[in-house]
Amino acid sequence: MPRRLHTTFSWSFCNSGCDVRKAVDVDLAPVAELRWSSIVDEKNAVPATERDAFVEAFVEWARATQHECFVAEIAGRIRGAAWVVLTERVPSPRALIRVTADLQGVYVDPDYRGQGIGRRLIAYVVEEATARGAERVVVHSSDLAVPLYERVGFTASRTLLHL
């Protein structure tokens, strides 16, 4: 069962020659291909549509959404991606402006795993979100990815619940 983890921290990693940056329009199709691979190819999920139709719909969604994409580029190719969406929270007497960041869709090409790319993506997104006022970053993780998130500082919380 997926677990929600949260954190507030700052760090940087990656010794693999990767450039982590905010995605631009030309990156969206390769990110869609990575997303397809992470779900259909690796998990043998049955897709609701054909690959090309998915990529087209994904790119259209990415252009219109409030979610922001960040990519890890190595030698001119997108090898990893992560998404974040910032959500305003109800004002409090302690802070009138409150924001939470939801980290989503973190994925690294299997041929490039174990090189710190996932950690670098996560660090970049967390630093970006906290710089924009996020008081916490949460992630809804698969069981397989929990150790990575814990290694970079995320912790499980009894007070962060979901249905």
Side-chain angles (χ1 to χ4, degrees), residues 106-163:
V106 177
Y107 180 75
V108 174
D109 180 324
D111 293 338
Y112 290 82
R113 291 181 186 159
Q115 300 178 38
I117 296 167
R119 288 182 290 180
R120 175 102 184 261
L121 273 166
I122 294 166
Y124 194 95
V125 171
V126 167
E127 289 172 4
E128 187 74 21
T130 55
R132 292 172 43 200
E135 60 190 58
R136 75 172 49 125
V137 177
V138 296
V139 63
H140 190 175
S141 180
S142 68
D143 287 334
L144 185 63
V146 168
L148 168 62
Y149 291 111
E150 290 177 335
R151 281 194 304 271
V152 299
F154 281 81
T155 58
S157 171
R158 270 189 25 82
T159 61
L160 189 59
L161 310 171
H162 65 92
L163 292 173

Side-chain angles (χ1 to χ4, degrees), residues 89-99 133 135:
R89 299 190 66 210
V90 176
S92 155
R94 292 179 292 181
L96 295 175
I97 299 173
R98 300 176 66 217
V99 177
E135 60 190 58

Side-chain angles (χ1 to χ4, degrees), residues 75-90:
R77 305 251 345 243
I78 304 301
R79 298 300 184 181
W83 293 82
V84 68
V85 63
L86 300 176
T87 305
E88 290 182 18
R89 299 190 66 210
V90 176

Side-chain angles (χ1 to χ4, degrees), residues 2-31:
R3 295 167 52 188
R4 289 188 72 81
L5 304 173
H6 74 281
T7 191
T8 54
F9 49 44
S10 172
W11 32 231
S12 61
F13 299 96
C14 198
N15 57 3
S16 58
C18 62
D19 177 35
V20 175
R21 58 178 172 74
K22 185 169 178 162
V24 295
D25 194 71
V26 71
D27 299 326
L28 298 178
V31 169

Side-chain angles (χ1 to χ4, degrees), residues 31-45 51 54 58 81 105-110 113 144:
V31 169
E33 295 282 352
L34 281 175
R35 182 81 172 150
W36 177 277
S37 294
S38 73
I39 295 169
V40 176
D41 298 339
E42 282 191 51
K43 297 177 183 170
N44 296 317
R51 184 183 201 116
F54 170 78
F58 185 97
V106 177
Y107 180 75
V108 174
D109 180 324
R113 291 181 186 159
L144 185 63

